[in-house]
Amino acid sequence: MKAVTYKQLWQFAKPFIRSQKWLFVTIFILDFTTYPFDVLLWPYIFNLLVEIFTRFEGDRLAAVAALKFPLALWVAQVLYVETAARSMGFLFAKATPKLQADVRMVMFDHIQRHSPAYFNERFAGSLANKMTDMTTQIDLILQQLFWPIVPALSTCCLGVVILGFINPIFAVVLALWMILHLTVCFLSSRSVDRYQQRHAEARSGLLAKVVDSFTNNFAVNLFYRFTEEKSRIGLFQKEEREKNRAAKSYVEKIRCAFSLFHFMGVILGMCGTAIYLWVQNQISTGEVVQVFSTMWSLGILLWMVGSALPILFQSFGTVKQAYQVMLDPEDMGDKSDAKPLEIGAGSIVFDNVSFQYSDKKLFENKSVLIRGGEKVGLVGYTGSGKSTFVNLILRFFPVKSGKISVDGQDISSVLLESLRKKIALIPQDPVLFHRTLEENIAFSSPHASVEGIVKAAKLAYCHDFIKSLPEGYQTKVGERGTKLSGGEKQRIAIARAILADAPILILDEATSALDSMTEKYIQESLHALMEGRTTIVIAHRLSTLSRMDRILVFNEGKIVEEGSHLSLLERDGLYAKMWKMQVGGFLPETPAVV
Ligand code: ATP
Ligand code: MG
């Protein structure tokens, strides 16, 4: 875990607060002024009342006129405090949802702009939890600051001045007690964030495991592993519970120390001094009542600060843990001088490219030329690097050395958006959003017309099945598209690629889940789509590659053979071996011309 400083947190929060500067300044001013008025005026009114009641003991009716001033003061106080407090509430209700929404959007955007490699290493549930932690805890921090921390500080400062007018000794005792109390509170509470960071990390991890288990619920159901999954989650739960307990116990230990301070300050310090001065006849009975009730209220406020500070630092701990994700550097950003990709014929060149996944070497000094408009098939055993090859063209992963160019432009130096817009990929394992079918198809081309979407769906042979659904194109497909069959999902992905209308087309096992009849129809659409585009087709079913200009045969990351279907058969190498196995096993003697 990287260490996050308060300065970093402030730099992060500053722009969000600045965007609503006047709202926060108004809330602060109201907050700073309202509570002293509320807490300190009461004891003064009590003082006046006691003085009046004791002075008019003989003629009680005469006291009524004298009561007018303190009672008017009381009404004014209640009116001001209530109006200010309610206004503050409304302003807070306006400011914090926007603040939370702004923070959420910035975090979401930062997280989503990472490569698949980044997401491969992390749990989506944990990332989402960090966003939630950040937004809820920022709200909690503001709540703690605006009540009771800021009002308590302003009230105590004014309290020192007011009690100083009664007798300077009160000002000295109160000031000393406040300084001591707040210093101890602050110093002891700061270490709470350390405990809380550990707890928040454990909680995020736990949530990620829960989401992972729910996502794989099909497998859990299939193998009836409910008990095992519960035990597995229980293991992570144990760690979370331990860290939660440690954080909470620490807070309680701190509170014990605060209680001791509270007792010493209020009862022994201030009230003792007041009684002593009253006995010495240095202050009146009304003033004793004012000191007692002021101290009672200030004592409660300071005690509340003592309770709030650990919560504040707990929140800071959680925020620091959540902020870690903002420190993850962008791993697929554009270079400062990146230019849009200018596409011509659509040639793709691998020039001495080496690539490896962490410590697993896959490509070494690979050089390949795919001419503009050429149709190239990729075949090879599973795990031989075909999908990786096309993923590198899309810059999903950076190459270790060498370069990949499209129409002579190094893809690492072009704007990523322009590169991705020029390439349509039908992935091996299409995953859909839990949105409507229309939205899923239009994802590649958000401004597409309804007619355009329907046309693409017809070409991908999914229009009929979509129409047969009760809600047609407005049907939601379930998380990751779980409500559709494998073949239906593939056809939606094909429609999406057709709609993208990109000059480079990549099909990674695009029709592997379809029955032979549907596949035959779709191949016609796809071949029409391939016209005039550079196309790479990955297929295990070799018959689907018969119309390719050239076939590259992959084996353990290397291209071991290349040529047309017939020349590769003549060569009698790996391709011919794979072909014979398929023909013998499942396919007719000659390639089906589709
Ligand atoms: P298939 O025919 O099964 O789709 P493929 O030829 O497309 O296989 P790739 O997906 O390119 O194979 O994978 C090549 C190798 O790289 C495999 O051994 C695989 O385990 C590994 N690999 C793939 N993706 C990753 C990843 N994100 N991180 C680490 N290793 C990976
Ligand atoms: Mg693959």
Side-chain angles (χ1 to χ4, degrees):
M1 233 179 9
K2 292 157 244 164
V4 175
T5 62
Y6 284 101
K7 193 171 163 207
Q8 280 173 307
L9 289 186
W10 173 238
Q11 294 297 340
F12 174 67
K14 214 157 61 175
F16 304 116
I17 293 177
R18 217 176 242 166
S19 73
Q20 304 191 79
K21 176 168 75 207
W22 294 116
L23 261 184
F24 282 112
V25 167
T26 316
I27 294 172
F28 182 79
I29 292 172
L30 284 173
D31 198 41
F32 201 76
T33 54
T34 307
Y35 292 99
F37 201 62
D38 191 19
V39 173
L40 300 173
L41 205 59
W42 264 113
Y44 179 61
I45 294 170
F46 276 146
N47 177 358
L48 295 180
L49 291 174
V50 169
E51 291 297 332
I52 292 167
F53 287 133
T54 48
R55 201 168 350 119
F56 290 92
E57 187 58 43
D59 179 9
R60 292 191 173 185
L61 205 59
V64 175
L67 284 174
K68 275 184 198 155
F69 174 67
L71 292 181
L73 211 57
W74 184 14
V75 171
Q77 181 225 18
V78 171
L79 282 179
Y80 171 72
V81 169
E82 286 306 311
T83 315
R86 296 296 73 79
S87 313
M88 214 159 59
F90 280 114
L91 294 178
F92 202 73
K94 185 167 187 237
T96 49
K98 173 167 164 30
L99 178 79
Q100 286 181 304
D102 290 349
V103 169
R104 198 177 288 119
M105 289 319 291
V106 166
M107 286 190 80
F108 174 77
D109 202 37
H110 172 78
I111 295 171
Q112 71 159 350
R113 284 175 192 279
H114 279 94
S115 67
Y118 176 86
F119 285 94
N120 284 348
E121 299 296 324
R122 288 161 180 82
F123 285 105
S126 171
L127 293 171
N129 187 49
K130 284 182 199 276
M131 277 172 64
T132 311
D133 272 352
M134 179 69 98
T135 48
T136 49
Q137 296 306 315
I138 281 185
D139 194 47
L140 207 65
I141 287 172
L142 289 177
Q143 278 181 33
Q144 299 298 324
L145 283 177
F146 287 128
W147 178 255
I149 294 173
V150 168
L153 294 181
S154 63
T155 309
C156 285
C157 292
L158 198 64
V160 169
V161 176
I162 290 175
L163 293 189
F165 275 114
I166 296 177
N167 193 306
I169 296 179
F170 288 126
V172 175
V173 177
L174 177 59
L176 281 178
W177 173 51
M178 251 176 61
I179 292 169
L180 203 65
H181 180 95
L182 290 175
T183 312
V184 172
C185 285
F186 185 75
L187 291 180
S188 51
S189 300
R190 267 177 27 153
S191 36
V192 170
D193 80 349
R194 227 182 25 241
Y195 283 88
Q196 189 56 23
Q197 271 192 72
R198 287 183 205 139
H199 171 225
E201 195 57 47
R203 195 182 53 209
S204 280
L206 170 68
L207 204 89
K209 308 289 184 312
V210 170
V211 172
D212 189 43
S213 181
F214 286 163
T215 313
N216 286 290
N217 180 265
F218 182 78
V220 179
N221 257 291
L222 180 65
F223 298 106
Y224 212 84
R225 296 276 182 204
F226 301 106
T227 314
E228 288 80 356
E229 275 304 288
K230 191 175 163 206
S231 311
R232 190 172 180 277
I233 295 295
L235 283 180
F236 295 104
Q237 172 73 74
K238 199 169 156 220
E239 188 195 340
E240 186 274 344
R241 199 182 66 193
E242 219 17 72
K243 294 195 167 147
N244 194 2
R245 193 198 57 75
K248 287 202 162 69
S249 306
Y250 186 74
V251 169
E252 281 317 309
K253 278 183 206 153
I254 291 173
R255 283 188 178 150
C256 289
F258 295 163
S259 298
L260 197 64
F261 267 98
H262 178 67
F263 176 75
M264 283 175 6
V266 180
I267 315 277
L268 301 183
M270 290 300 283
C271 297
T273 310
I275 293 168
Y276 173 77
L277 291 174
W278 184 79
V279 170
Q280 299 293 316
N281 227 350
Q282 289 188 30
I283 57 172
S284 70
T285 309
E287 284 171 335
V288 173
V289 171
Q290 184 176 351
V291 171
F292 267 56
S293 53
T294 302
M295 282 319 297
W296 177 251
S297 305
L298 286 186
I300 290 178
L301 265 182
L302 281 178
W303 198 92
M304 284 168 81
V305 173
S307 282
L309 278 175
I311 297 175
L312 182 79
F313 283 100
Q314 265 186 336
S315 297
F316 275 127
T318 309
V319 164
K320 279 183 176 179
Q321 174 269 151
Y323 185 72
Q324 304 272 344
V325 83
M326 299 303 288
L327 298 178
D328 293 337
E330 279 189 20
D331 60 348
M332 51 165 218
D334 288 321
K335 290 183 180 162
S336 56
D337 56 350
K339 296 196 173 53
L341 175 70
E342 301 285 343
I343 204 91
S347 68
I348 300 167
V349 177
F350 274 58
D351 184 5
N352 267 315
V353 170
S354 297
F355 173 77
Q356 64 182 65
Y357 287 113
S358 45
D359 55 354
K360 181 176 178 176
K361 260 193 196 142
L362 196 58
F363 300 144
E364 213 162 1
N365 299 327
K366 186 184 261 316
S367 292
V368 180
L369 164 66
I370 297 173
R371 286 179 292 278
E374 193 180 11
K375 293 169 197 52
V376 174
L378 305 188
V379 298
Y381 292 127
T382 180
S384 57
K386 306 177 295 295
S387 296
T388 306
F389 181 82
V390 295
N391 283 340
L392 290 184
I393 301 172
L394 279 148
R395 216 170 97 190
F396 279 145
F397 302 94
V399 296
K400 194 174 141 215
S401 63
K403 72 172 183 184
I404 301 170
S405 318
V406 172
D407 277 338
Q409 300 146 81
D410 184 346
I411 60 162
S412 68
S413 304
V414 301
L415 290 171
L416 190 59
E417 186 180 2
S418 66
L419 174 73
R420 301 265 165 94
K421 277 191 173 156
K422 299 291 188 294
I423 303 174
L425 166 78
I426 303 169
Q428 185 164 15
D429 182 18
V431 174
L432 303 182
F433 292 100
H434 182 31
R435 301 179 193 168
T436 65
L437 283 162
E438 184 179 297
E439 286 172 294
N440 268 296
I441 296 174
F443 195 75
S444 60
S445 178
H447 303 299
S449 64
V450 176
E451 294 76 38
I453 294 169
V454 171
K455 192 173 162 207
K458 281 182 178 163
L459 285 169
Y461 287 87
C462 51
H463 176 73
D464 287 345
F465 99 75
I466 294 175
K467 283 311 267 181
S468 70
L469 297 168
E471 291 181 68
Y473 281 85
Q474 301 311 315
T475 309
K476 288 212 170 149
V477 300
E479 206 176 359
R480 303 170 70 82
T482 43
K483 290 188 188 170
L484 300 184
S485 75
E488 285 166 347
K489 263 193 284 189
Q490 254 185 356
R491 280 181 280 165
I492 300 295
I494 292 171
R496 192 188 262 178
I498 292 173
L499 200 62
D501 194 22
I504 297 174
L505 184 64
I506 299 174
L507 283 67
D508 190 353
E509 292 286 346
T511 54
S512 58
L514 302 180
D515 64 85
S516 308
M517 281 302 284
T518 314
E519 184 179 31
K520 185 171 155 24
Y521 292 134
I522 290 188
Q523 288 291 354
E524 287 308 320
S525 300
L526 288 177
H527 281 298
L529 189 69
M530 288 175 201
E531 275 317 305
R533 296 173 210 261
T534 308
T535 309
I536 300 175
V537 180
I538 300 174
H540 281 300
R541 236 184 279 184
L542 303 185
S543 59
T544 55
L545 299 177
S546 57
R547 288 195 204 170
M548 296 293 109
D549 300 325
R550 192 155 53 110
I551 294 169
L552 308 180
V553 185
F554 276 61
N555 193 15
E556 293 177 0
K558 295 189 182 65
I559 296 175
V560 290
E561 292 171 18
E562 67 172 279
S564 68
H565 169 73
L566 290 174
S567 69
L568 287 173
L569 284 186
E570 266 170 36
R571 196 183 156 131
D572 204 23
L574 181 59
Y575 182 82
K577 190 172 150 201
M578 285 161 57
W579 173 254
K580 277 178 207 150
M581 279 178 71
Q582 288 201 355
V583 173
F586 333 97
L587 295 169
E589 201 82 37
T590 51
V593 178
V594 288

